[in-house]
Structure formats: structure tokens, C-alpha cells
């Protein structure tokens, strides 16, 4: 099926690895012109690998989403290299690196970095790219990678949960603000995806346990998935790629302001 994304500039932020990388691959396979942003300089290798595998134009910028200046410079540079952005995906994210139950285990000072990257990072990205979409005058989309944690008061990592809830609210704010320009804004919410971030949640949960109570990553993840997810299986990065290109396409022209859970049924909306 032709999703009509060919030659459209698509920006993926947090694309060096994990879910962001898979989304970048999906846009490249649709023939989009793809711009990757990550603070990890290996994002350039990722861009070269995706370009080689798909034949698409894929370029990269190294930038930290915490820096408004960095993000504006990356947005300006990518506009010059692949054209004004039409689709923007915010997939950068971090947890606190601590197990947060009860909440007093994560002191307020540890909240700042999590809020800076997840919340201010999303805000900086929207400020840097929205003017390009608006000036294009032909619609476009924003997509934010959020989390089930932002919808259920998860106790695992309170600053992360709060940041994800804020991202969902900001996504809805953009959906309303930008609708008159024909620009849509949505969120994808993963449950359990085998990535560096997911592994860091496991590592934090084991840190203070007595040796005898510790679990290896597959055992911990398997038990958690069976406990929380009706379908009882991992989600794969490629599933987010497939859904991201669908949401960017004209097939989704009436979908905005929505949080779509790809989580095996962990969170169900009425
Ligand atoms: N993996 C899961 O199980 C899971 C579950 C729920 C939500 N999520 C969300 O999905 C998104 C993608 O996560 P992932 O699992 O692919 O993680 P990941 O760690 O594999 O990838 C995250 C990417 O973001 C980049 N990044 C982090 N901080 C940055 C910064 N300050 N500036 C620029 N880039 C930065 C990293 O370098 C990395 O390339 C995140 O928003 C995460 O919160 C993941």
C-alpha cells in the first residue's frame, strides 16, 4: 500500500537506536527523506546503515534535546539538507536510573534531568520544528513516544511517569493548536520493548536487592510481561515503525490528539 510519504522530510529525534531507529527505518522504506537527531554521535552510523539498507536519503545531526539552541540549530541544518520538515517524531527518552518505590527513593534533585530530557526536550523539539510545518502550509504530523507509565500512576519511576503524563498533555495541546493548520499530533505508548531503556529499568530494580532475590533480565521481563499484559509478549520496535508511518499518512487524516497503546493490552481505554 502506498502511504504517500515518498520524498516527504521526516525528522526522528532519539533515533540512534531502539524504537526511534525502527521508526526512522519505516519512514525510509516509504521513500521519505529522513533526518535523524540524537545526542549520541553514533547516530551518523545509524543514518548510513538505514540509507544503505533502504536506498533512501537519510542524514543525521548530533544534538541534545535539553538544549533549545542545539535543537534550533539541528532544525535549521536539516531544513537546508532535506527540506522543511513535514513529520516530526520525538522518541528520545530516559528514566531516572533508580527504582522509585516508594517515591522517597528518588530525591527531587533526580527529577530534573528526567523532566529536562522528556518534557523540555519535547517542548524544544516542537518549538524548533512547528514553524517549518506551519510555513509549509500543507499539514504534517507530530508523534511523541510516551509510555503506559504516564497513564496509570506507575510506581516504578515517578519522575519518568510524571514526564510521560506531561508529554501526553502537551501532545494534546499541540493537536488543538495546530489543527487549524491541518497539522496532527498523536502519541504512541509502548509497554515492554527490548531496548537499552527497558534494560536500564531492570538494572535499577535489581540494584538494592539481596543477591539471592536478584533476577536476570529475561526472567524479570518475562514475569513482568505475564503479570501486566493480557497478550503476554514483548512489543517489537518494528511495530512502532509500522504504526508511525500509518499515523503520518493520509489514511490517518482524522486521527489527532490520541494516545495509541501498543502494549499487548496493558492499558485499555473506554
Ligand atoms: N523500551 C520500552 O520498553 C519503552 C516503554 C515505554 C516507553 N518507551 C519510550 O519509547 C521511547 C524510545 O525509547 P527506547 O526504548 O527506544 O530507548 P533507547 O534508550 O533505546 O533510545 C532512546 C534514544 O534517545 C536518545 N536520547 C536520550 N537522551 C537524549 C537527549 N538528551 N538528546 C538527544 N537524544 C537523546 C538516546 O541516545 C537513544 O538513542 C522513549 O520515549 C521511551 O520513554 C520505551
Amino acid at each position: 500500500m502506498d502511504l504517500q510519504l515518498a520524498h516527504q522530510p521526516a525528522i526522528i529525534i532519539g533515533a540512534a537506536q531502539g524504537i526511534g531507529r525502527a521508526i526512522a527505518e519505516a519512514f525510509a522504506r516509504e521513500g521519505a527523506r529522513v533526518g535523524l537527531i540524537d545526542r549520541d554521535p553514533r547516530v551518523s552510523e545509524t543514518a548510513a546503515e538505514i540509507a544503505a539498507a533502504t536506498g533512501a536519503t537519510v542524514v543525521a545531526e548530533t544534538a541534545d534535546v535539553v538544549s533549545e539552541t542545539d535543537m534550533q540549530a539541528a532544525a535549521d541544518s536539516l531544513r537546508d539538507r532535506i527540506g522543511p520538515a513535514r513529520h516530526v517524531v520525538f522518541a528520545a527518552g530516559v528514566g531516572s536510573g533508580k527504582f522509585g518505590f516508594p517515591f522517597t527513593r528518588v530525591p527531587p534533585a533526580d527529577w530534573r534531568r528526567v523532566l529536562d530530557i522528556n518534557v523540555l526536550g519535547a517542548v524544544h523539539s516542537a518549538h524548533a520544528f512547528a514553524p517549518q510545518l506551519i510555513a509549509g502550509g500543507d499539514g504534517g504530523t507530530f508523534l511523541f513516544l510516551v509510555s503506559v507509565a504516564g497513564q496509570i500512576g506507575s510506581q516504578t519511576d515517578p519522575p519518568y511517569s510524571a514526564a510521560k503524563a506531561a508529554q501526553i498533555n502537551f501532545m494534546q495541546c499541540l493537536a488543538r493548536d495546530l489543527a487549524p493548520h491541518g497539522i496532527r499530533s498523536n502519541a504512541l505508548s509502548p509497554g515492554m520493548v527490548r531496548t537499552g531503556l527497558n534494560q536500564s529499568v531492570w538494572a535499577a530494580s535489581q540494584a538494592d536487592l539481596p543477591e539471592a532475590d536478584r533476577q536476570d533480565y529475561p526472567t524479570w521481563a518475562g514475569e513482568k510481561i505475564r503479570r501486566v499484559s493480557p497478550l503476554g509478549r514483548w512489543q517489537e520496535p518494528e511495530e512502532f515503525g509500522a504504526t508511525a508511518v500509518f499515523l503520518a499518512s493520509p489514511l490517518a487524516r482524522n486521527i489527532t490528539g490520541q494516545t495509541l497503546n501498543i502494549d499487548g493490552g496493558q492499558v485499555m481505554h473506554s
Side-chain angles (χ1 to χ4, degrees):
M1 184 183 296
D2 179 8
L3 294 178
Q4 299 176 43
L5 298 173
H7 312 299
Q8 294 190 359
I11 310 298
I12 321 296
I13 300 157
Q17 59 177 31
I19 296 170
R21 178 188 172 129
I23 291 174
E25 284 172 357
F27 273 99
R29 260 184 240 106
E30 293 300 323
R33 299 163 62 78
V34 188
L36 314 187
I37 298 178
D38 205 290
R39 69 175 169 191
D40 183 343
R42 284 174 299 181
V43 70
S44 298
E45 289 162 39
T46 304
E49 287 164 11
I50 297 175
T54 62
T57 299
V58 188
V59 300
E61 294 282 333
T62 303
D64 190 326
V65 299
V66 171
S67 163
E68 191 180 349
T69 320
D70 258 27
M71 289 309 290
Q72 190 58 58
D76 293 345
S77 173
L78 287 172
R79 183 192 52 219
D80 295 344
R81 296 173 76 188
I82 59 170
R86 182 78 185 269
H87 306 286
V88 179
V89 179
F90 185 80
V94 295
S96 72
K98 294 193 171 164
F99 185 63
F101 173 74
F103 76 95
T104 45
R105 291 170 63 115
V106 185
D110 285 353
W111 279 61
R112 288 205 177 85
R113 181 174 154 275
V114 181
L115 297 179
D116 272 350
I117 293 175
N118 294 298
V119 183
L120 270 301
V123 173
H124 294 157
S125 302
H127 277 264
F129 285 103
Q132 292 186 22
L133 274 70
I134 292 169
D138 196 21
T141 63
F142 277 96
L143 183 65
F144 297 87
L145 268 293
V146 297
S147 172
V148 292
Q151 302 171 71
I152 59 172
S154 165
Q155 293 161 289
T156 305
D157 189 353
Y160 178 76
S161 303
K164 292 295 171 180
Q167 282 185 335
I168 291 169
N169 196 280
F170 180 57
M171 172 278 289
Q172 293 171 340
C173 175
L174 285 188
R176 290 183 194 280
D177 273 4
L178 299 177
H181 300 280
I183 298 167
R184 298 180 290 106
S185 170
N186 289 292
L188 290 182
S189 178
M192 288 281 285
V193 189
R194 247 176 308 233
T195 64
L197 184 141
N198 187 276
Q199 194 154 352
S200 73
V201 178
W202 159 76
S205 75
Q206 305 297 304
D208 294 335
L209 291 179
E211 188 71 38
D213 293 343
R214 288 190 189 160
Q215 293 177 310
D216 62 20
Y217 181 45
T219 306
W220 170 86
E223 279 187 13
K224 180 168 179 179
I225 289 169
R226 275 191 294 280
R227 194 172 65 248
V228 302
S229 163
L231 285 176
R233 58 177 171 245
W234 285 102
Q235 294 89 58
E236 303 298 335
E238 294 70 28
E239 297 166 40
F240 295 85
T243 315
V245 292
F246 161 71
L247 286 172
S249 80
L251 291 175
R253 63 186 172 277
N254 273 315
I255 302 178
T256 197
Q258 304 303 312
T259 300
L260 177 56
N261 291 294
I262 303 180
D263 63 355
Q266 185 175 348
V267 174
M268 298 189 188
H269 292 298
S270 58

